[in-house]
Amino acid sequence: MKNTTIYDIAREAEVSVSTVSRVLNDTAPVKASTRDKIMKVIEKHKFQPNALARSLIKKETGTIAMIVPDITNPFFPEVFYGANQEARDKGYTFFLCNTSGDDDRESEYLTILREKRVDGIIFIGGRINLANCPPELVQEVQEAAETIPVVLVNGNLAKTKFHRVYSDEAVGAALATQHLIDLGHRDIAFIGGLDFMTTTIQKVKAVKKTLEDQQLTLRKEWIQYGEFSIQAGRDLMNKLLDDSEHRPTAVLCVNDFTAIGAIKAASERGLHVPEDISIVGFDDSPLSTAVIPELTTVTQNTHELGKYAVERIFQINNGMPTKRTTVLTPKLIVRQSSGPAPVKRK
Amino acid sequence: MKNTTIYDIAREAEVSVSTVSRVLNDTAPVKASTRDKIMKVIEKHKFQPNALARSLIKKETGTIAMIVPDITNPFFPEVFYGANQEARDKGYTFFLCNTSGDDDRESEYLTILREKRVDGIIFIGGRINLANCPPELVQEVQEAAETIPVVLVNGNLAKTKFHRVYSDEAVGAALATQHLIDLGHRDIAFIGGLDFMTTTIQKVKAVKKTLEDQQLTLRKEWIQYGEFSIQAGRDLMNKLLDDSEHRPTAVLCVNDFTAIGAIKAASERGLHVPEDISIVGFDDSPLSTAVIPELTTVTQNTHELGKYAVERIFQINNGMPTKRTTVLTPKLIVRQSSGPAPVKRK
DNA sequence: TTGAAAGCGCTAACAT
DNA sequence: ATGTTAGCGCTTTCAA
């Protein structure tokens, strides 16, 4: 079933293709009568101009891609949502590339997206959160960035100067820590997150610093690294609670998933949150209001993250001035999972 | 910065473009020595063939689109995940189009996707869940389907014969109802979901039938329609509980979100789930294991839904035989939010 | 095994 | 205001 082309329209309307193109793009004045005639034919055939042909010439596709590690983690759909919202205003459509946290897939997608000549790539998670990203992986991204605007969201690649949009996770972690200190907690632990990812490292560092600034310490045994999942949170929390000699009165978690796992572990042992132990999450994902008790957490302005990333790409593609870095400040959201430190019993 | 083309490669390798094309696509034998020479030049320039030009000729883009109402609702990322997984195997990349449940956006995307000549469209949610979908909206989809394979996931359009993949929600609802009956419940309510959406209607109907088959009834006041959100679930549950004369001992919810809202409302009133009241969700989204108590719910085989949809598109595009309809059977997942009916107190 | 050339469907000078 | 024509970067006959 042959697609109708601009030529078919031109022939039937008895004009040249350029005239049809003109009415299609409104790129030059066309006499009202001929415009009408052309429009009639277009509508009759429900003609849809071939965007591929157009993109081939104009060297722009109206397409942006977002590379994410795991769309199933509610943090990413939120960022996507914000990005998509902005993209629509700017006339972009979105490729969503889920890598399942696999480096090779990231590389694959990078290649495909370049071949498809996307107008921009938003990179979030994966290699840009590695404390030590292998140079080959860095280079791949750099090569892509030579021809396509790339913006890194909530991550970075060492010794490079990519466009970045991120929320200052260190500030967020400090905020959460201070919140607990203010509630009278002195025995604070940190759980979750792989120890080779910057998201984890930055937070631990900030927690430690905030504590030390006030003559408190983060005990080594109270830093429990692991995955970012609910299950991991539960497991790590259990490890913490196993040591009945030394029990923290409050636990900071790398994200909301692990925080929820932590709450579950605590409840399963008959501990009440926050009466017996306070738990703080990170991300303010929709989950945080779904659990009981609702999670005290740190919001990352997820929608803005996506929004600014798209805006940046738009600016670059249109030769508008841009700054290379946009930093968003996280905010603490106090809900029900944190409370005053329990009074010591002995 | 000009992109290098196949011509540049040809010139530098001292061969014709057709030969370069041959090694690129492995479409005809090329002498090993010249192939090597060409590969060298390709790698030297990190040449990326322009997929647009190729697609223009081959009339296939290697791109599928998924139109979803709300990527922020964890049900959809799960379906996407399954689809994306399968898509990768088949060499497709994914457009993700978030409509925020807006008909106009759906229409917009339909147009854009046709212009972009995607190889298939997966439609989920939105108009295909309307009990009375306006004919114009139906027609739009039909027109798209004339040139592009369209598959409807968990929905339908009246008087049409689209390709469909869906899980039988009526069976799921019946399963959940029977589960409650078996636990001794006789006073069962249903909450959540807009009353003009098929997801809601089908479930209510199935609940009613299951009940009536066993001489039980679904009281009219115990059907509470509303949104699909946590907040809606909470509000509707509160309405139910406000009538202290007649209180159900079990509540079926249109999805996990509303179920969680219901649990919250119950807890806020000091009711224990499931001791005082049983609550059952629908979807088995990641949320269902995140809450306390973990949700008894109905799994919709989300990944399969996506997987089969992509598979179908692939089959259609490759002239393989396909059936028009794939039905998946939901399964009941019993967790902690449902239990034996409380003993009557008076 | 390789090359020449036509064409995919459109836009954008350049003419008229 | 409208038409002619040369590409955009690739694949694919058809010849050699």
Side-chain angles (χ1 to χ4, degrees), chain B residues 3 7 30 36 100 108 123 135 158 165 167 173 177 196 198 202 204 222 231 250 276 283 294 298 312:
Chain B
N3 258 308
Y7 275 92
V30 173
D36 288 350
S100 303
E108 265 178 49
F123 211 119
V165 177
S167 67
T177 311
F196 53 83
T198 49
Q202 287 176 6
V204 171
W222 284 356
Q231 190 53 46
D276 300 320
D283 284 354
E294 294 191 359
V298 176
R312 184 74 59 82

Side-chain angles (χ1 to χ4, degrees), chain A residues 319-338:
Chain A
M320 298 158 74
T322 48
K323 33 180 187 163
R324 287 203 101 71
T325 305
T326 304
V327 190
L328 303 179
T329 307
K331 276 184 266 310
L332 181 75
I333 312 274
V334 178
R335 284 197 273 250
Q336 303 162 348
S337 67
S338 60

Side-chain angles (χ1 to χ4, degrees), chain A residues 4-162:
Chain A
T4 68
T5 76
I6 199 172
Y7 276 92
D8 302 325
I9 304 298
R11 190 179 322 113
E12 192 163 331
E14 299 172 297
V15 295
S16 75
V17 289
S18 31
T19 307
V20 178
S21 175
R22 282 179 193 114
V23 341
L24 242 29
N25 301 289
D26 200 34
T27 175
V30 174
K31 201 177 4 159
S33 63
T34 69
R35 148 169 276 119
D36 287 351
K37 192 163 59 170
I38 293 172
M39 285 307 289
K40 286 244 166 53
V41 183
I42 287 180
E43 270 153 28
K44 173 180 161 199
H45 291 279
K46 310 210 175 292
F47 168 65
Q48 315 265 161
N50 186 324
L52 298 168
R54 174 182 293 164
S55 298
L56 189 54
I57 299 173
K58 314 245 321 190
K59 293 174 185 325
E60 61 180 47
T61 53
T63 300
I64 302 187
M66 181 153 147
I67 302 181
V68 305
D70 179 14
I71 194 61
T72 266
N73 177 335
F75 175 71
F76 298 106
E78 293 293 332
V79 179
F80 181 86
Y81 181 89
N84 191 67
Q85 213 66 2
E86 183 73 12
R88 213 183 77 99
D89 292 348
K90 304 261 190 274
Y92 292 120
T93 312
F94 248 106
F95 276 124
L96 180 58
C97 306
N98 194 295
T99 64
S100 302
D102 177 347
D103 292 342
D104 292 338
R105 286 230 206 165
E106 288 178 16
S107 306
E108 264 178 49
Y109 275 125
L110 240 22
T111 303
I112 294 176
L113 295 174
R114 291 172 71 180
E115 293 187 353
K116 290 200 191 294
R117 301 294 192 261
V118 298
D119 291 342
I121 297 178
I122 297 175
F123 211 119
I124 184 167
R127 68 183 66 173
I128 71 170
N129 284 325
L130 261 28
N132 290 299
C133 183
E136 322 86 76
L137 301 190
V138 176
Q139 210 201 323
E140 279 177 3
V141 185
Q142 272 179 314
E143 278 166 16
E146 280 169 24
T147 44
I148 302 173
V150 172
V151 8
L152 311 185
V153 172
N154 266 18
N156 199 7
L157 289 169
K159 294 178 211 150
T160 59
K161 44 181 182 45
F162 282 98

Side-chain angles (χ1 to χ4, degrees), chain B residues 15-35:
Chain B
V15 295
S16 74
V17 289
S18 27
T19 307
V20 177
S21 174
R22 282 177 193 117
V23 342
L24 241 28
N25 301 289
D26 199 35
T27 176
V30 173
K31 207 192 339 173
S33 63
T34 71
R35 149 170 276 119

Side-chain angles (χ1 to χ4, degrees), chain B residues 196-213:
Chain B
F196 53 83
M197 306 214 50
T198 49
T199 355
T200 315
I201 298 171
Q202 287 176 6
K203 285 173 193 156
V204 171
K205 207 171 136 191
V207 171
K208 201 177 277 178
K209 178 157 189 317
T210 311
L211 249 22
E212 287 170 359
D213 281 355

Side-chain angles (χ1 to χ4, degrees), chain B residues 47-283:
Chain B
F47 169 64
Q48 315 265 161
N50 187 324
L52 297 168
R54 174 182 292 166
S55 298
L56 188 55
I57 299 174
K58 314 244 319 192
K59 293 176 185 326
E60 60 179 49
T61 53
T63 299
I64 301 187
M66 181 152 146
I67 302 181
V68 305
D70 179 16
I71 194 61
T72 266
N73 176 335
F75 175 72
F76 298 106
E78 293 293 332
V79 179
F80 182 86
Y81 181 89
N84 191 65
Q85 213 67 1
E86 183 73 13
R88 212 183 77 101
D89 292 346
K90 304 259 191 276
Y92 292 119
T93 312
F94 247 104
F95 276 124
L96 180 57
C97 307
N98 194 296
T99 63
S100 303
D102 178 346
D103 292 342
D104 292 338
R105 287 229 206 164
E106 287 178 18
S107 307
E108 265 178 49
Y109 275 126
L110 239 22
T111 303
I112 293 176
L113 295 174
R114 290 172 70 182
E115 293 187 351
K116 289 199 191 294
R117 301 295 192 261
V118 297
D119 291 343
I121 297 178
I122 297 175
F123 211 119
I124 184 166
R127 68 183 66 175
I128 71 170
N129 284 324
L130 260 28
N132 291 299
C133 184
E136 323 86 76
L137 300 190
V138 175
Q139 211 201 323
E140 279 178 4
V141 185
Q142 272 179 314
E143 279 167 14
E146 280 169 24
T147 44
I148 302 175
V150 173
V151 8
L152 312 184
V153 171
N154 266 19
N156 199 7
L157 290 168
K159 295 177 207 148
T160 59
K161 44 179 183 45
F162 281 98
H163 285 273
R164 297 170 59 202
V165 177
Y166 64 95
S167 67
D168 193 329
E169 302 190 84
V171 168
L175 239 39
T177 311
Q178 189 60 52
H179 166 65
L180 292 174
I181 296 174
D182 292 347
L183 284 170
H185 293 276
R186 295 295 172 265
D187 302 324
I188 298 175
F190 183 95
I191 68 171
L194 298 165
D195 63 356
F196 53 83
M197 306 214 50
T198 49
T199 355
T200 315
I201 298 171
Q202 287 176 6
K203 285 173 193 156
V204 171
K205 207 171 136 191
V207 171
K208 201 177 277 178
K209 178 157 189 317
T210 311
L211 249 22
E212 287 170 359
D213 281 355
Q214 298 169 58
Q215 281 55 262
L216 298 170
T217 51
L218 179 55
R219 292 185 63 221
K220 219 178 114 228
E221 301 74 27
W222 284 356
I223 308 177
Q224 293 286 347
Y225 296 110
E227 297 282 333
F228 295 88
S229 62
I230 293 181
Q231 190 53 46
R234 177 189 251 150
D235 294 344
L236 297 172
M237 186 65 169
N238 273 322
K239 271 198 204 166
L240 231 43
L241 297 178
D242 279 344
D243 181 358
S244 50
E245 301 268 305
H246 304 279
R247 266 199 188 165
T249 62
V251 180
L252 287 160
C253 304
V254 75
N255 65 2
D256 288 343
F257 266 161
T258 44
I260 287 167
I263 292 182
K264 281 175 154 323
S267 319
E268 283 159 10
R269 296 195 179 219
L271 294 175
H272 293 278
V273 179
E275 293 78 6
D276 300 320
I277 189 164
S278 286
I279 291 175
V280 177
F282 212 103
D283 284 354

